[in-house]
Amino acid sequence: MLAVLWRVKRARWHSSGMLTRCTLIQEVPKYELSLSCPVSMYWRRSGGVRNVSISSAMNAKVKGNQKKKELSEKNLTRHFVDHRSVKLVAGSGGKGACSFHSEPRKEWGGPDGGNGGDGGSIIIKADRYVKSLAQLVPVYKGEDGQSGGRKNCYGRNGSTTYISVPLGTVVKEHGKSIADMAEHGQEYLAVFGGAGGKGNRFFLTNENRAPMTATPGVGGQERVLQLELRTMAHAGLVGFPNSGKSSLLRAISNARPAVAAYPFTTLNPHVGIVKYRDHEQVAVADIPGIIRGAHLNRGLGFSFLRHIERCRFLLFVLDMSTPEPWTQFQHLCYELDKYEPGLSQRPQAIVANKMDLPEAREKLGALRIHFTQRVIPVSALTGQNTEELILHLRELYDGYLQGKDSGDGKPTRW
């Protein structure tokens, strides 16, 4: 009996010791519980019989700073879209209700069916904070109106759906322009929502005291519209394939188009934003390279020239590694004028690219003799003299805002 009591006392002492050890651990200051002195040390100091394994940053897998992969040309083209065809379907109206009021001591209360709600319309709205049509989806469906209910309860109207588009978007239907979204907040009601149906309360007359008629809602309007950006960018880089347009856009803006040492690396236009200290922004577009005969729709000629048509001023990028770079300007102007007369006469500047090559410096003097326009020698690879190009770009932009050389239409701020 005494032996049994002795064993029980020892067990109690062990339990009290465990409580003491737990109290010691709780009294350890938080700033001492660091990686250099883990909790297991205090556990051993307090007389613990085993170590404690805790999760810490040392046991976790260390994630290094992984460098972001360069986007492919296919993914980069999704960042800017200047042409979209969308199908718009407005909401249908709710159906009217057919019911009769009945309650104690009023069995013949008459018809009390309410009308259905109208379907939601779809409105195209210009927003200066939207820069591309990439966020648009192929089909838009408006919200349907709710059906009417008993006790003359009308159905709720469907909410209006808004489609935000950039400034300068032209809305076309069957090739004909029907709206020009040129100002911020401008709205165009594209499709109307269907009217709600009528409940049997609507058909109550002195001759017909118990109408059983209720009409369904009208379907919403449907249209297929084409949306195009009239002003894709303020400036457009025009040049033959492999002339260094994508590298130049990388050097002067925040855009990151694909760059490679072969022609037609860029298959779709990319837009970069050049920011100035006064918070003004100038949009520059990298137009895919033009080939000879583009005005005859060779290759994708019409698609390329359509982008250039919506630029307010042009930057002709010439490859100084060719034997006679000044002939490139003549061929480019020929293709532009054949597509649209006077297109090459817009405010412009000539950019002599690849000046880091030794043979390019010898041809610069001959290039200046052939032109009366301003020639800006730059090197997109090394960033040489890109400041002069950015300053001249701002001069062209300021003249465009003043409306002197902006052509038809109001100036568009990016």
Side-chain angles (χ1 to χ4, degrees):
M1 187 67 180
L2 293 175
V4 175
L5 292 175
W6 176 251
R7 290 177 183 175
V8 173
K9 290 182 179 180
R10 290 189 60 184
R12 291 180 179 176
W13 293 341
H14 280 294
S15 61
S16 62
M18 293 291 291
L19 291 174
T20 305
R21 284 191 287 270
C22 293
T23 306
L24 289 174
I25 293 176
Q26 293 178 357
E27 293 177 355
V28 174
K30 292 184 179 180
Y31 61 85
E32 292 184 4
L33 295 178
S34 59
L35 294 178
S36 60
C37 189
V39 179
S40 59
M41 295 180 62
Y42 295 99
W43 187 278
R44 287 194 292 269
R45 291 176 186 175
S46 60
V49 294
R50 62 185 179 87
N51 295 333
V52 178
S53 176
I54 61 172
S55 61
S56 62
M58 296 193 314
N59 300 328
K61 183 182 290 185
V62 179
K63 295 183 179 180
N65 295 330
Q66 299 179 357
K67 185 178 180 181
K68 291 184 178 180
K69 296 181 180 180
E70 292 288 340
L71 294 177
S72 62
E73 176 68 20
K74 182 178 180 180
N75 294 331
L76 284 169
T77 56
R78 298 176 183 174
H79 293 181
F80 181 83
V81 178
D82 64 333
H83 181 273
R84 271 289 169 87
S85 178
V86 294
K87 181 180 180 181
L88 307 180
V89 182
S92 302
K95 62 181 180 180
C98 181
S99 65
F100 291 89
H101 184 71
S102 178
E103 60 178 312
R105 296 182 297 276
K106 196 175 181 181
E107 293 81 1
W108 309 100
D112 64 347
N115 300 336
D118 297 335
S121 302
I122 300 180
I123 296 178
I124 300 176
K125 185 176 181 180
D127 189 352
R128 64 167 172 260
Y129 300 106
V130 179
K131 307 303 180 185
S132 171
L133 299 176
Q135 79 281 357
L136 300 185
V137 296
V139 180
Y140 283 90
K141 178 70 172 65
E143 184 179 0
D144 295 336
Q146 292 185 352
S147 302
R150 299 181 58 187
K151 300 181 181 180
N152 297 319
C153 292
Y154 282 36
R156 184 175 62 88
N157 296 333
S159 60
T160 304
T161 303
Y162 289 90
I163 303 176
S164 299
V165 297
L167 297 181
T169 301
V170 178
V171 183
K172 295 183 178 181
E173 186 177 18
H174 305 298
K176 182 180 179 181
S177 299
I178 56 178
D180 188 359
M181 317 301 291
E183 299 180 0
H184 177 68
Q186 181 180 351
E187 297 181 356
Y188 171 70
L189 183 57
V191 287
F192 294 90
K198 304 299 182 181
N200 62 340
R201 174 74 180 183
F202 178 81
F203 300 97
L204 176 63
T205 60
N206 292 331
E207 293 78 12
N208 187 7
R209 305 301 299 176
M212 300 290 295
T213 304
T215 60
V218 181
Q221 186 182 7
E222 296 186 15
R223 298 176 75 179
V224 178
L225 302 178
Q226 293 79 38
L227 305 179
E228 290 186 6
L229 279 179
R230 182 193 62 192
T231 303
M232 188 186 71
H234 299 120
L237 300 177
V238 183
F240 283 108
N242 206 24
S243 60
K245 299 183 297 299
S246 299
S247 300
L248 185 60
L249 185 64
R250 278 173 164 264
I252 65 176
S253 71
N254 58 353
R256 291 295 176 266
V259 175
Y262 53 85
F264 292 106
T265 307
T266 304
L267 299 178
N268 289 274
H270 298 276
V271 175
I273 305 298
V274 182
K275 299 181 181 180
Y276 295 89
R277 292 183 178 179
D278 58 351
H279 306 288
E280 196 66 75
Q281 297 180 355
V282 179
V284 182
D286 175 18
I287 308 298
I290 300 176
I291 62 174
R292 297 184 181 180
H295 67 281
L296 302 176
N297 202 21
R298 291 182 180 176
L300 296 176
F302 284 172
S303 300
F304 296 162
L305 295 172
R306 178 171 56 87
H307 298 312
I308 302 174
E309 182 184 6
R310 295 198 300 275
C311 294
R312 298 299 94 188
F313 38 89
L314 308 177
L315 300 177
F316 290 92
V317 182
L318 305 183
D319 187 0
M320 297 300 291
S321 63
T322 58
E324 296 180 352
W326 48 86
T327 59
Q328 297 182 8
F329 178 77
Q330 300 174 0
H331 293 301
L332 291 172
C333 292
Y334 176 78
E335 296 295 336
L336 296 182
D337 291 335
K338 283 294 183 179
Y339 176 74
E340 179 184 347
L343 183 58
S344 64
Q345 303 300 322
R346 293 187 179 182
Q348 59 187 250
I350 298 176
V351 181
N353 196 16
K354 302 184 181 181
M355 290 301 300
D356 55 298
L357 301 177
E359 61 271 17
R361 302 173 185 175
E362 303 175 357
K363 303 172 187 176
L364 182 59
L367 182 68
R368 295 181 186 273
I369 297 176
H370 286 80
F371 298 109
T372 58
Q373 299 96 324
R374 183 173 181 177
V375 178
I376 304 175
V378 300
S379 174
L381 181 62
T382 62
Q384 174 187 353
N385 204 30
T386 54
E387 296 83 2
E388 181 182 355
L389 176 60
I390 294 175
L391 292 176
H392 184 64
L393 192 63
R394 181 59 187 272
E395 295 176 2
L396 295 174
Y397 176 75
D398 292 339
Y400 161 67
L401 289 183
Q402 294 175 2
K404 297 180 180 179
D405 301 317
S406 59
D408 53 354
K410 296 182 179 181
T412 303
R413 288 183 178 269
W414 198 262

